[in-house]
Every structure is written in structure tokens, then in C-alpha cells.
Amino acid sequence: MELRQLSYFVAVAEECHFTRAAKRLHVAQSGLSASVRSLERELGADLFVRNTRQVRLTPAGAALLTEARRTLAASTACVDAVAAVQGLVRGSLSIGTLQCLHVVHLPSVLSTFVSTYPALDIEFRTGGSGELTGMVAQGKMDVAFVARPAVPPEDVVVTPLASEPMVLACAPTHPLASAARVPLAALTGERFVDFAPDWGPRDLVDTVVGDRHVALEVTDVHSLLDMVACGLGIALVPRSFSVKTDRVRFVGLADRVPRWETVTVTAAPPSAGAIALVADVRRAAGLTSG
């Protein structure tokens, strides 16, 4: 029994007509009919009742139809699995990330990943969470490691990666630097240093503080912390930023505020390369075993 025979049989069963089935499969009717007759001889049963007006399944044909469809589906799944692996080995993978992905050291993960799949063409860029998420949604990027979007676009899959509290960053000489915890009300009237709009921390702080004076906008973490250290303003940042400098004081917040969440964003369905990379990142972050 061959897959081609099963494919011909299913087409005739669905069309209830040999000529239409042959046209659907782009084969000669004589060849299709011969293949079905060969299948019937092999099984020792008539699969169709044929007359001048119609073609319909016999009980044996009806029994075979369910299994034939299942077998053909399994065959397709096998082909798809091999194609996915070939795509991973020889395809391309476009990756986007926040500037500081604290949960893992992404360059180390990528180094191992590239060694495992040396023929995979890797593209990499950093950017704002909104921009990178939009690129995944538009099919311009395979996977992004970003701040959780407030409203995820359609046709993307958002998977949690890490979360942490927000803290106040201020110069050591700032009046709030020695506080055990700072209420949000104490930030009223302060001058802020922050990222550009559409960057993850900026969007989150805007929802937490509301109306405030953002005097200096930056697009990288180290510039933000340098300006805070020099007393040019304060900032609300993820707590992991505290490992980047000892020239800034980081103080916990007294009020309950949303946590800073890092997520992975992939297309739906994700590419084979995206699945493999996300698995490696999660493993490196201690989120999966193996």
C-alpha cells in the first residue's frame, strides 16, 4: 500500500467522482482509476460502489477513509518536521532585544547557539520594546526579548521570562538617597531622566508616576545612570540596573507598583529557529531543565 494510493482514494471519496478527483490531483483519470483498483485488489475489498450516476463508498471504503486521512496527516507531519529542521540548519533568524536583558547573558547564549547551528544566518539588533514587538508582528523579526507590551499585537505569542521590582535611582547627594523606602508622592516636582517614548521602562514609569517632568531623554542605560549619578535628575528603573554602577543610590519604593516584566515575543506559529533559541534562553535562565 502506497501513500499515493491512499491520496487518490481520499480524493475520490471526497469528490464522489473519479473525473473530478483526477482534475483535483492533476493526474490522468485512467491512472487514478488503476491505482484505486490496485488498492482494492491489495485489500481484497471493493471500496466504492460505481455506476453511471454516482460513486459512493462501500462500508469497507468508509472504514478505510478515516485511517487513510490519519495516515496522510502523519505523513505530512513527518515532512513538516524534516523541513523545520532543515530550515533551522540552513535558514535565517532575526533577533531583537532590549539593551540590558538581565535575566541571561544573551551573547553567551548566542555563542553556543551559533556553534550548534553554524549554517543559520543570524541577524541581531537592539531597540525599544514597542518597535521590536511591532517588527515581530509584521513578520520582520522572528523573536524579541522585550518588556511586556500593555496590549500585545495580534498574531504574536508573549511568554513570560522574568520579573523584578522597580526602584528609585538618584545621586548619592540627593535628599532621598538615604531613605529606607520612598513613597511615590515624594517624587512630585522632581526632574526625571528617562528613556525615549516607546521604550519599556518609560512606558511603565509613565503609568506609575503619571504627570512628571522628563527633562532628559536617553536611549541607553549607561547614559541614564551617568546623568542620574551627576545629579541631573532621578529615574525609576528595574532593580537589576543596580549592578551596573556604584555611583548611584538605588532605593526601594514604599508604594505597590507594577513589576518590570521581561517577555519573549514570537510570531504565531514561531519559526524553528525561534523555538530553539527561546528554549536555550529559558534553559540559561533556569526556567527549564535539560
Side-chain angles (χ1 to χ4, degrees):
M1 186 183 303
E2 300 176 356
L3 290 175
R4 176 178 54 80
Q5 290 176 307
L6 293 179
S7 177
Y8 287 2
F9 161 73
V10 170
V12 175
E14 291 176 347
E15 296 293 339
C16 297
H17 201 279
F18 277 83
T19 301
R20 288 197 298 267
K23 289 182 178 179
R24 168 174 146 183
L25 296 173
H26 305 290
V27 298
Q29 181 181 336
S30 59
L32 181 142
S33 298
S35 180
V36 171
R37 284 195 300 270
S38 175
L39 181 60
E40 289 176 320
R41 286 195 299 271
E42 185 175 343
L43 295 174
D46 290 335
L47 301 175
F48 296 101
V49 175
R50 305 165 174 84
N51 58 44
T52 57
R53 292 180 299 177
Q54 65 175 348
V55 174
R56 58 184 174 84
L57 287 168
T58 64
L64 177 62
L65 181 59
T66 298
E67 296 305 322
R69 284 171 171 160
R70 183 176 296 139
T71 299
L72 291 172
S75 173
T76 300
C78 290
V79 173
D80 290 345
V82 173
V85 172
Q86 290 177 331
L88 178 58
V89 173
R90 295 194 293 268
S92 63
L93 182 66
S94 178
I95 307 161
T97 183
L98 298 171
Q99 200 173 76
C100 293
L101 187 67
H102 80 280
V103 65
V104 294
H105 187 242
L106 192 55
S108 296
V109 175
L110 285 175
S111 176
T112 302
F113 186 81
V114 169
S115 297
T116 304
Y117 307 106
L120 188 62
D121 183 20
I122 299 291
E123 297 179 359
F124 182 87
R125 67 177 293 173
T126 61
S129 293
E131 174 195 12
L132 298 178
T133 299
M135 291 182 70
V136 174
Q138 296 163 20
K140 299 177 180 178
M141 183 170 287
D142 294 293
V143 57
F145 302 98
V146 296
R148 176 179 290 279
V151 181
E154 295 182 359
D155 300 326
V156 301
V157 177
V158 177
T159 306
L161 189 58
S163 71
E164 60 179 301
M166 300 291 286
V167 297
L168 169 69
C170 62
T173 56
H174 193 282
L176 297 175
S178 59
R181 288 191 173 273
V182 176
L184 292 178
L187 307 183
T188 301
E190 290 284 347
R191 180 173 56 192
F192 278 80
V193 183
D194 212 332
F195 296 99
D198 195 42
W199 285 55
R202 172 66 178 265
D203 294 341
L204 180 57
V205 176
D206 282 344
T207 65
V208 170
V209 181
D211 187 25
R212 63 194 175 112
H213 176 41
V214 179
L216 301 98
E217 289 186 353
V218 299
T219 56
D220 69 279
V221 172
H222 297 288
S223 293
L224 182 145
L225 294 176
D226 283 345
M227 291 184 176
V228 168
C230 291
L232 294 172
I234 64 170
L236 291 185
V237 298
R239 186 173 60 188
S240 58
F241 283 18
S242 63
V243 302
K244 298 183 178 300
T245 181
D246 58 3
R247 298 173 54 231
V248 173
R249 294 289 183 269
F250 297 90
V251 185
L253 300 176
D255 299 279
R256 192 181 187 91
V257 300
R259 292 173 67 87
W260 163 255
E261 291 186 86
T262 307
V263 299
T264 62
V265 178
T266 56
S271 68
I275 291 172
L277 178 60
V278 169
D280 283 1
V281 167
R282 292 181 64 81
R283 214 162 14 243
L287 297 177
T288 57
S289 59

